[in-house]
Amino acid sequence: MKRMVSGIKPTGELTLGNYIGALRNFVKYQDDYELYVFIANLHCITVPIEPKELRKNLKDAIALYLACGLDPEKCTIFLQSDVYEHAQLGWIMTCMSYMGELGRMTQFKEKTSNATNESISTGLFVYPPLMAADILLYDADYVPVGEDQKQHVELTRDLAQRFNNRYSETFVVPEPLIAKVGARIMSLSDPSKKMSKSEESNKGCIYLLDDLKVARKKIMSAVTDMEGRVNYDKEKQPGVSNLLEIMSSLSGESIDSIVARYEGKGYGEFKKEVADVVCRELEKIQNRYNEILRGSLIKDTLKQGAEKAHHIAFRKLKKVQRKMGIDIF
Ligand code: AMP
Ligand code: TRP
């Protein structure tokens, strides 16, 4: 089985868009790859954050990923900071990288465009070499990431090759795996825009932890059109088409079949069924999420995950130290 590594940076609440567009793919990977998933908590502190808030975000993210189907029996889930080798190889990768190439990282440029050098943390600058270490420690073949992280994986490839050239073959050169844009779930209040947590009004965006009544209301008041028939036409009926995509991807029923069932019927009835399907899925996730937060699954998962990850990371780091001449014996 090919190996896959990915880091999760918990940033606020997850949406139905994240779930359909990304998370569910991720859950599928655990069947086809040897998957290592970690919560990138060392990457979270490159910008100031309250300890209480950070701890809650980390715990929530793990609980939600588990609730959505990541299975600790199938993949290795751990906390980045629990496996100390990340920080050390991160430093080594920092020493392997150049100011010029890190300065060209678009994420760094975007995040610092309005700030002065006196207020930008150095951590933000050396974020990519730490990410390279996360990946290279495990000899990952693939790194599933969003488009925005592709440049960081490319830097990782450069660093791996640079190390291999300088010190002999050591690291697997990984490939980014950018999921084909399958479902692109649109905002319920403005179907020309992507459903996103950064929307000003919350009406168009369903969060996985939304109260079921609130979620239902958002769907019932989703923007449609004057055509008055349930039909898939993204140009003329973007709102209805979006609801069809949501319903089809959650229920597994084809869009054609749903359209046929609603022949001659109105939007009210259709929306009610979409809301039923969405709420059923949310309820399942939320029940599992609450169960996980009450039980000891998170603690057990992280302990077992860190042990397994450490075992691999330790050996890799020893090899690196030996090649570089850092160790003596
Ligand atoms: P973001 O929350 O924008 O950082 O995105 C995290 C992941 O979720 C990325 O892989 C996105 O492609 C995916 N994603 C976010 N919003 C949507 C959406 N509305 N429809 C489909 N996928 C989405
Ligand atoms: N930088 C990634 C993000 O912002 C998170 C991350 C950290 C990561 N280390 C990684 C992703 C290693 C993949 C592999 O989403």
Side-chain angles (χ1 to χ4, degrees), residues 5-7 9 38 40 43 127 131 134-135 143 145 149 152:
V5 170
S6 194
K9 236 179 73 189
F38 62 92
H43 280 110
Y127 181 115
M131 177 161 163
D134 298 336
I135 298 166
V143 187
V145 283
Q149 295 297 313
H152 290 163

Side-chain angles (χ1 to χ4, degrees), residues 1-7 26 29 32-36 134-135 138-145 153 157 172-178:
M1 247 201 240
K2 293 277 190 191
R3 200 177 272 180
M4 186 180 266
V5 170
S6 194
F26 217 72
Y29 292 143
D32 304 325
Y33 297 91
E34 185 187 338
L35 179 64
Y36 291 79
D134 298 336
I135 298 166
Y138 301 93
D139 281 331
D141 300 291
Y142 296 107
V143 187
V145 283
V153 182
R157 290 171 57 86
V172 169
V173 180
E175 276 185 45
L177 194 82
I178 314 283

Side-chain angles (χ1 to χ4, degrees), residues 52-312:
K52 239 183 162 164
E53 188 189 342
L54 177 57
R55 192 171 290 119
K56 181 175 186 307
N57 288 351
L58 299 174
K59 205 170 166 197
D60 277 355
I62 302 169
L64 258 180
Y65 272 75
L66 290 171
C68 288
L70 265 196
D71 179 353
E73 298 296 320
K74 292 185 183 167
C75 63
T76 307
I77 306 170
F78 62 100
L79 207 54
Q80 186 182 27
S81 63
D82 279 346
V83 182
Y84 295 176
E85 285 79 3
H86 286 248
Q88 185 169 148
L89 189 65
W91 171 249
I92 291 171
M93 286 299 137
T94 298
C95 296
M96 295 290 300
S97 53
Y98 303 124
M99 299 283 286
E101 61 192 350
L102 298 190
R104 283 193 293 276
M105 293 291 118
T106 45
Q107 184 170 313
F108 175 74
K109 288 198 279 189
E110 273 165 28
K111 290 207 166 171
T112 56
S113 60
N114 294 322
T116 64
N117 275 346
E118 291 308 310
S119 64
I120 300 166
S121 91
T122 315
L124 209 53
F125 190 63
V126 297
Y127 181 115
L130 177 60
M131 177 161 163
D134 298 336
I135 298 166
L136 299 179
L137 272 176
Y138 301 93
D139 281 331
D141 300 291
Y142 296 107
V143 187
V145 283
E147 193 62 45
D148 64 323
Q149 295 297 313
K150 200 171 152 203
Q151 196 187 23
H152 290 163
V153 182
E154 270 151 17
L155 176 81
T156 303
R157 290 171 57 86
D158 290 345
L159 293 176
Q161 275 155 350
R162 193 172 300 160
F163 192 100
N164 289 350
N165 289 338
R166 202 176 289 175
Y167 300 105
S168 83
E169 205 61 28
T170 307
F171 294 120
V172 169
V173 180
E175 276 185 45
L177 194 82
I178 314 283
K180 284 169 230 82
V181 193
R184 188 171 142 86
I185 304 304
M186 310 309 277
S187 160
L188 299 173
S189 52
D190 178 357
S192 68
K193 292 204 186 99
K194 199 175 96 160
M195 181 183 284
S196 153
K197 46 194 156 223
S198 50
E199 245 175 280
E200 330 71 72
S201 105
N202 258 331
K203 281 196 295 199
C205 179
I206 292 187
Y207 294 96
L208 295 183
L209 296 179
D210 261 350
D211 184 274
L212 296 185
K213 281 201 200 100
V214 173
R216 181 172 293 278
K217 201 162 165 211
K218 286 179 185 173
I219 292 173
M220 294 311 290
S221 37
V223 167
T224 49
D225 50 64
M226 303 299 280
E227 303 278 326
R229 67 191 188 103
V230 176
N231 179 41
Y232 190 76
D233 181 339
K234 277 183 147 173
E235 286 280 300
K236 288 202 197 104
Q237 298 179 259
V240 172
S241 301
N242 187 39
L243 292 175
L244 277 166
E245 278 191 30
I246 292 174
M247 181 154 145
S248 168
S249 62
L250 293 182
S251 69
E253 183 180 359
S254 72
I255 288 181
D256 285 347
S257 156
I258 303 169
V259 168
R261 281 201 292 116
Y262 278 94
E263 174 101 53
K265 294 181 187 163
Y267 290 158
E269 207 175 322
F270 170 59
K271 281 180 170 177
K272 192 173 163 303
E273 193 185 343
V274 178
D276 288 343
V277 169
V278 170
C279 287
R280 217 177 301 132
E281 194 80 8
L282 293 187
E283 194 174 17
K284 233 176 23 194
I285 294 172
Q286 291 175 9
N287 286 343
R288 184 96 186 91
Y289 169 85
N290 288 322
E291 221 174 84
I292 289 166
L293 282 182
R294 278 195 305 269
S296 63
L297 184 67
I298 295 181
K299 204 169 169 191
D300 300 344
T301 298
L302 293 182
K303 183 164 181 285
Q304 179 191 317
E307 275 167 18
K308 196 165 164 216
H310 168 72
H311 186 72
I312 297 175

